[in-house]
Amino acid sequence: MTQTTLGEPMAVEMAKQQRQISVAEFFEKNRHLLGFDNPKKALLTTVKEAVDNSLDACEEAGILPEIKVDVFDMEEDRYRVRIEDNGPGIVKKHIPKVFASLLYGSKFHKLQQSRGQQGIGISASVMYAQLTTGRPVKIKSKIGPDEQAYYFELKIDTEKNKPEIVTEETIEWDKDHGLQIELDLEGTYRKGKRSIDEYIKQTSIVNPHVTLIYTNPRSEQLIFTRAAEQLPREPKEIKPHPDGVELGLLTKMLERTNTRTLTGFLQEEFTRVGRGTAEDICENATLRSDRVPSRMKRKHAEQLLKGIQQTDIMNPPTDCISPIGEELLEKGMRKEVNAEFYCTVTRKPEVYRGYPFQIEVGIAYGGEQSKDSTVNVLRYANRVPLLYQKGACAFTQTAGDVNWKTYGLDQSGNNVPRGPATIVVHMASPWVPFTSESKEAIAHYDEILDEVKLAMQQAGRKLQKYTKKKTRIKKEKKKRNMIEQYLPHVAVGLKELLDLTSAEEKEIVEKLEAVLQEDRGELEDIEFDPDANPEYDEEFAKIGREDDESD
Ligand SMILES: Nc1ncnc2c1ncn2[C@@H]1O[C@H](COP(=O)(O)OP(=O)(O)OP(=O)(O)O)[C@@H](O)[C@H]1O
Ligand SMILES: [Mg+2]
């Protein structure tokens, strides 16, 4: 049927339904894409977005972060979330847009390692709060000791994706600089796995330079004091690498550039392209090097892309990545995981789709961890714990692909191993390939999978030395106990058989005991409790460290 009953073409009737959809309206309907699919997750996501922003801001400004997180139970499934940082604050002009319009931020166009990257995190929380309680977000901001502090109450006009200022005033705020955000939203608070408490604890493991003061809805205060006084190395901003560029982006870059020649464009807009490489690319693309980029047609852009693919270009620089480092990662793990052995591995930087990245793995073994459950795999991207979508994440898949049995853990098939251990996996990169906007799982790029596997195997080998030694010590101790038990009987038997005097019998016992002591060697210093008595943790950790050093 191509006509309506009134004789109008159907297309005309259908055209009446066509409308622009604002990005805010889209995400209002698809809130699950941003991590708001259920009340428990919504509460966690809100805290996470605000804390991640505070940490990013403090580090960018060179300030050691001190963050206060308060979650109040307002009853009837409503919660008030208040996060306050000692960061640089936000200038007055930008406050409404940052918090009350989606896709507005300072990080999306910058290729620099940070927790946030999309410009949608905090405004999505504001939108969710508004949707579920109708209340505006409340912001306090101060950018310096001699500056005026501001207070805003904001709502999002979702149809236009624009901020609506409910209140704007100057206030007294007894603080040199910083930002405070307060949101009322519907949620559910629970402790345990994937809770706010867990997120805060996991954050403190890989951010040993941060102090977090957290009060949960049950009015319990948890203080995570910093274990390191230095900030992570500041990651440098980089330009895109030609290997990662796709046709759409290349066309846009050609249209927008101010450069006047193709070689100029390649050198100016990309990293690792000097004059020689730029000329090689033009030659491989059969394009003249003095072509004006903004006048190039689509087919030329395609040619250029092929030229890029055929040219050998040096890997991107790696000073745009700031890993945690083996020492600090171990420090963080020691602070929060009660184990008897710790080891960490920081791999060298690698590249996927033109983006550099670096993988780190840490293992904490034994101690008070349960022997009978699946190993706790803590996943992190740019120092942010990933608590959801475990099954969809490249890290989980790799944890199952490694043969952990060799390293002393139980494993069935390609599953995550079982045993008293925690495995930390961290990816640092100026662009992390998340599987969705809610930033919960890492996409399966081969280069990333390979690196994670190598890092896990490397850490696994360190663990293996420890578990092997531990098993040997356990066996020897058992043997020794047995012999010790029978020694007096052996002596009596010998006395009768060989017709010895009591003095001779005593001498033989002493000799046998001495041999036993010699055999025992290192056992002399280490008492072993098979139930991993924490009293002996330090002794066992010592074995681990010795092994590390001899590596
Ligand atoms: N506590 C804060 N202090 C200073 N600046 C902040 C703070 N919170 C947010 N910002 C600024 O607001 C911008 C928007 O934050 P938002 O969380 O929406 O996006 P993002 O952090 O850039 O990316 P993502 O969507 O991945 O979180 C940030 O890019 C940052 O410039
Ligand atoms: Mg953010």
Side-chain angles (χ1 to χ4, degrees):
M1 191 174 90
T2 53
Q3 291 203 323
T4 63
T5 44
L6 297 172
E8 258 195 339
M10 269 307 276
V12 174
E13 182 62 27
M14 285 159 75
K16 292 175 191 161
Q17 312 293 325
Q18 304 284 8
R19 269 180 70 183
Q20 180 74 48
I21 303 148
S22 103
V23 51
E25 281 177 312
F26 174 79
F27 282 114
E28 201 173 18
K29 271 202 173 163
N30 289 299
R31 51 169 99 162
H32 54 277
L33 293 178
L34 298 174
F36 296 91
D37 25 359
N38 63 60
K40 180 183 168 200
K41 199 166 160 191
L43 193 58
L44 168 72
T45 302
T46 303
V47 171
K48 185 170 173 285
E49 292 302 341
V51 173
D52 290 352
N53 280 352
S54 290
L55 293 176
D56 271 348
C58 286
E59 284 169 20
E60 198 180 334
I63 301 164
L64 272 172
E66 187 168 320
I67 321 271
K68 257 187 96 198
V69 179
D70 294 291
V71 184
F72 305 98
D73 188 346
M74 309 292 283
E75 296 184 348
E76 295 179 354
D77 299 329
R78 284 192 176 191
Y79 290 86
R80 175 164 294 166
V81 170
R82 187 187 298 144
I83 281 109
E84 184 176 321
D85 64 48
N86 60 340
I90 301 181
V91 294
K92 181 181 167 218
K93 185 175 92 176
H94 287 291
I95 294 172
K97 281 198 169 165
V98 158
F99 295 99
S101 74
L102 261 59
L103 294 178
Y104 189 88
S106 56
K107 304 168 204 166
F108 184 83
H109 293 102
K110 257 206 284 194
L111 263 186
Q112 187 176 27
Q113 179 184 330
S114 56
R115 294 167 182 79
Q117 55 188 33
Q118 298 165 162
I120 202 165
I122 201 61
S123 35
S125 304
V126 172
M127 190 168 75
Y128 178 82
Q130 178 177 320
L131 213 62
T132 53
T133 67
R135 313 268 302 201
V137 58
K138 296 173 183 167
I139 304 291
K140 280 186 195 174
S141 168
K142 193 169 171 185
I143 59 170
D146 303 322
E147 304 283 341
Q148 183 62 59
Y150 291 96
Y151 173 76
F152 276 89
E153 288 185 7
L154 304 162
K155 281 187 157 187
I156 304 183
D157 175 343
T158 48
E159 240 173 82
K160 300 197 185 101
N161 187 28
K162 284 210 169 117
E164 198 185 287
I165 300 174
V166 181
T167 307
E168 174 188 336
E169 55 195 39
T170 57
I171 49 159
E172 288 302 315
W173 197 18
D174 184 20
K175 197 172 178 105
D176 281 353
H177 47 80
L179 192 112
Q180 189 196 83
I181 173 167
E182 189 181 293
L183 287 157
D184 286 351
L185 66 147
E186 236 175 60
T188 303
Y189 171 75
R190 273 200 213 105
K191 287 198 176 199
K193 273 191 178 162
R194 296 183 299 209
S195 61
I196 302 174
D197 300 38
E198 188 61 27
Y199 159 75
I200 300 270
K201 182 181 158 182
Q202 289 192 22
T203 299
S204 122
I205 294 178
V206 296
N207 294 277
H209 61 291
V210 173
T211 291
L212 279 159
I213 304 157
Y214 166 52
T215 310
N216 69 20
R218 297 184 192 161
S219 302
E220 297 159 341
Q221 193 176 61
L222 304 168
I223 301 179
F224 298 85
T225 316
R226 72 172 58 88
E229 288 299 322
Q230 75 270 33
L231 279 162
R233 190 187 72 207
E234 191 194 353
K236 295 255 162 24
E237 185 180 347
I238 58 161
K239 292 175 192 164
H241 189 271
D243 282 350
V245 77
E246 281 155 356
L247 190 60
L249 180 62
L250 186 61
T251 318
K252 218 172 353 163
M253 287 170 83
L254 285 164
E255 271 167 24
R256 290 182 184 169
T257 183
N258 294 325
T259 53
R260 286 196 295 267
T261 63
L262 190 50
T263 41
F265 164 77
L266 289 165
Q267 288 177 79
E268 189 58 36
E269 306 286 344
F270 293 101
T271 183
R272 293 300 199 211
V273 182
R275 179 140 201 105
T277 312
E279 275 165 4
D280 288 350
I281 294 174
C282 294
E283 204 181 310
N284 289 336
T286 57
L287 288 167
R288 274 191 15 224
S289 55
D290 61 353
R291 262 184 173 279
V292 181
S294 54
R295 287 198 215 133
M296 279 170 63
K297 305 232 164 61
R298 201 190 130 83
K299 67 171 186 194
H300 299 130
E302 269 181 58
Q303 257 172 277
L304 182 59
L305 192 65
K306 283 208 182 103
I308 287 174
Q309 285 157 357
Q310 283 163 16
T311 311
D312 236 355
I313 304 165
M314 202 199 264
N315 274 345
T318 52
D319 53 2
C320 57
I321 317 179
S322 170
I324 303 159
E326 293 182 357
E327 197 183 319
L328 277 186
L329 180 56
E330 183 175 325
K331 229 181 197 172
M333 290 175 76
R334 280 184 181 277
K335 196 161 69 88
E336 299 305 327
V337 187
N338 193 342
E340 58 195 43
F341 168 76
Y342 302 83
C343 67
T344 48
V345 167
T346 297
R347 299 273 308 164
K348 286 205 192 70
E350 276 296 333
V351 183
Y352 83 94
R353 255 187 56 200
Y355 298 116
F357 72 97
Q358 199 160 358
I359 297 292
E360 299 180 274
V361 165
I363 303 179
Y365 179 84
E368 289 178 355
Q369 303 180 87
S370 157
K371 286 182 187 146
D372 308 316
S373 39
T374 307
V375 163
N376 202 7
V377 180
L378 306 183
R379 301 171 290 129
Y380 292 93
N382 288 349
R383 296 167 200 264
V384 178
L386 311 177
L387 298 183
Y388 279 87
Q389 297 219 19
K390 179 164 81 171
C393 186
F395 291 176
T396 318
Q397 186 195 314
T398 316
D401 287 345
V402 170
N403 182 2
W404 290 101
K405 276 190 184 160
T406 340
Y407 309 133
L409 293 171
D410 274 349
Q411 190 176 23
S412 70
N414 276 12
N415 292 315
V416 173
R418 299 176 76 79
T422 299
I423 301 176
V424 169
V425 199
H426 177 231
M427 171 172 180
S429 175
W431 192 260
V432 178
F434 290 110
T435 55
S436 92
E437 292 83 348
S438 56
K439 301 185 286 185
E440 291 161 340
I442 310 285
H444 293 60
Y445 281 95
D446 285 343
E447 297 87 340
I448 299 174
L449 292 172
D450 288 349
E451 267 306 297
V452 174
K453 192 166 182 184
L454 287 169
M456 285 184 176
Q457 287 170 331
Q458 213 172 320
R461 283 195 292 275
K462 291 187 182 189
L463 172 66
Q464 182 189 36
K465 283 192 184 173
Y466 176 73
T467 49
K468 269 195 171 166
K469 205 165 202 165
K470 188 171 169 174
T471 315
R472 187 162 55 79
I473 291 175
K474 204 164 142 185
K475 270 194 199 149
E476 282 180 20
K477 177 91 196 277
K478 209 168 151 193
K479 245 194 295 183
R480 179 176 172 264
N481 285 348
M482 290 262 286
I483 299 175
E484 257 173 5
Q485 204 181 334
Y486 291 112
L487 209 55
H489 305 288
V490 172
V492 172
L494 281 177
K495 188 183 172 198
E496 276 172 20
L497 269 174
L498 303 175
D499 205 12
L500 302 176
T501 64
S502 295
E504 283 169 327
E505 179 200 338
K506 201 172 156 229
E507 197 186 331
I508 285 193
V509 170
E510 276 169 7
K511 268 189 190 157
L512 284 172
E513 269 177 351
V515 171
L516 210 55
Q517 292 300 335
E518 269 170 32
D519 260 6
R520 213 177 142 236
E522 66 209 22
L523 284 176
E524 187 63 7
D525 306 326
I526 303 162
E527 280 299 325
F528 175 67
D529 174 354
D531 294 323
N533 183 342
E535 223 177 285
Y536 304 117
D537 288 356
E538 247 323 294
E539 288 303 333
F540 276 100
K542 232 190 272 165
I543 317 177
R545 276 200 294 274
E546 281 160 14
D547 285 346
D548 263 9
E549 280 152 19
S550 64
D551 231 6

